Structure formats: structure tokens, C-alpha cells
Amino acid sequence: NAGVMQNPRHLVRRRGQEARLRCSPMKGHSHVYWYRQLPEEGLKFMVYLQKENIIDESGMPKERFSAEFPKEGPSILRIQQVVRGDSAAYFCASSPAYRGLLSETQYFGPGTRLLVL
Amino acid sequence: EDKVVQSPLSLVVHEGDTVTLNCSYEVTNFRSLLWYKQEKKAPTFLFMLTSSGIEKKSGRLSSILDKKELFSILNITATQTGDSAVYLCAVVQTNAGKSTFGDGTTLTVKP
């Protein structure tokens, strides 16, 4: 049973370009979370999604950032017109919905390290 | 504003020592508290705590939650160099699904 997969593992972009980060949850998991970890800081919640639904995006910057989790395929975190301050590790986590209840335990992917030059 | 505070920020000990890591929180709609260990990669799950006063134990690690005083501790006995990592505390909030993380405690265990 493969764990949470993220790709790419490392991404380098120049200022103004777009960054697309992908996350495939564990098999059977229907909940996906994105977190950002700035250098020397803890994980900060960004967004929580279920298939085709954004449940909570209270941690997402208002501009340039968007996330989706389509019916088929991975979840995508998209950052438009990247700036140097976007350089961080972006972690995706997934959890199952068990009998309609949310399982709090989140399983993390290896992260995507974004570097903006 | 939801807040999770961990202390100390960093700790250096020698193999065989016992350490206690602290996590205090102020959040709306508390549901559970989780501890993670993060080495140079993704966090790995250690414990989930939902009830006060019930100790969770796994080998040399143990953790307990105090919902009245709004804190949790993570104990590691007989530390080993492999315990060196950042230990993260996170609080899950009801219905939202989101977790608020502390900034972590960086533990370094010297041989």
C-alpha cells in the first residue's frame, strides 16, 4: 500500500512563473490537506479538500494560490506568479473517512521543496 | 486566533537521558492532539490524544493530555541518537479537519 505521494520532490522556479504541486493520497483516503513549512518554522495549514470540494481554505493566501482535488487524479496546489517568499516545503497529508467520520490521523507525503530564484 | 506553543524550542541531551517536551494550546473546537516526529522529510505520526489523563505509550515514548490546563507532554526515556528530530504537536479542530501545528521542538541527542 503506497503512502502519500507528492511530485515533484524539488521544484525550482523563477519569479513570476507558475508552480504546480501534485499530491496523490493514500489508497482509500478521500481527504487531502496542504501545509506549508517555511525555513525554520512549523507547519502551517493551508487548505483541506475532499473530492471536488474545498472544505476549508482559511490558511490559503488570498491571491495567487489555489487548490483542487478533482474526481479523478491527484490534488493540485497551484501558485501563480511565484515570489521569493513562496520558497518553502509544501506537504500534503491525507486521511480516510471512516463510516462518515473524519479520521484525525493524517499521513504525510514527502513534501515538495519549492525554491524561487 | 488559534495557537499551539511548544517548548523548549530546542534541546540538546546525551544518550540515555530522559526528556520532556511540552505543548500548550488555545484553540476553538478542540477535537484531538497529535504528536509527530519530523526528521529531514515528512512528519511521521506518533500519538493521538483525545481524553485527559490517559497515557499513550509506545516503547520509550509516552504522552499524556490535560484538557483542563490545555497542554500535553511527550516523554522520551533512555534517549538514543536516532531520536534526534523535530517533534511537532498539532491540534485537530472539530468539523474543520484542519490541524494547527506548533513550531516544534528540535531535539539533538549526542552520543
Side-chain angles (χ1 to χ4, degrees), chain A residues 64-79:
Chain A
R64 303 187 297 108
F65 284 71
S66 63
E68 63 176 8
F69 189 15
K71 189 176 178 182
E72 301 291 337
S75 175
I76 307 282
L77 179 68
R78 186 177 171 212
I79 312 172

Side-chain angles (χ1 to χ4, degrees), chain A residues 3-110:
Chain A
V4 178
M5 294 193 291
Q6 290 187 250
N7 68 80
R9 296 289 300 275
H10 299 272
L11 183 60
V12 180
R13 285 286 178 265
R14 295 193 180 278
R15 279 180 298 170
Q17 292 184 317
E18 180 180 284
R20 279 188 179 232
L21 288 62
R22 292 175 194 78
C23 169
S24 297
M26 284 179 73
K27 189 176 179 181
H29 287 194
S30 56
H31 301 259
V32 165
Y33 313 80
W34 285 94
Y35 295 88
R36 177 165 62 176
Q37 187 171 38
L38 294 168
E40 309 302 324
E41 291 188 20
L43 288 162
K44 299 285 188 257
F45 169 81
M46 298 182 75
V47 62
Y48 160 42
L49 309 107
Q50 294 178 26
K51 289 276 186 183
E52 299 183 283
N53 276 311
I54 296 174
I55 307 301
D56 183 343
E57 56 181 347
S58 57
M60 287 278 269
K62 295 284 184 268
E63 296 175 348
R64 303 187 297 108
F65 284 71
S66 63
E68 63 176 8
F69 189 15
K71 189 176 178 182
E72 301 291 337
S75 175
I76 307 282
L77 179 68
R78 186 177 171 212
I79 312 172
Q80 296 178 290
Q81 298 176 312
V82 295
V83 301
R84 288 217 174 107
D86 297 333
S87 296
Y90 291 83
F91 288 98
C92 164
S94 73
S95 67
Y98 182 64
R99 294 181 189 162
L101 299 174
L102 176 66
S103 167
E104 286 99 58
T105 305
Q106 295 175 14
Y107 298 86
F108 281 81

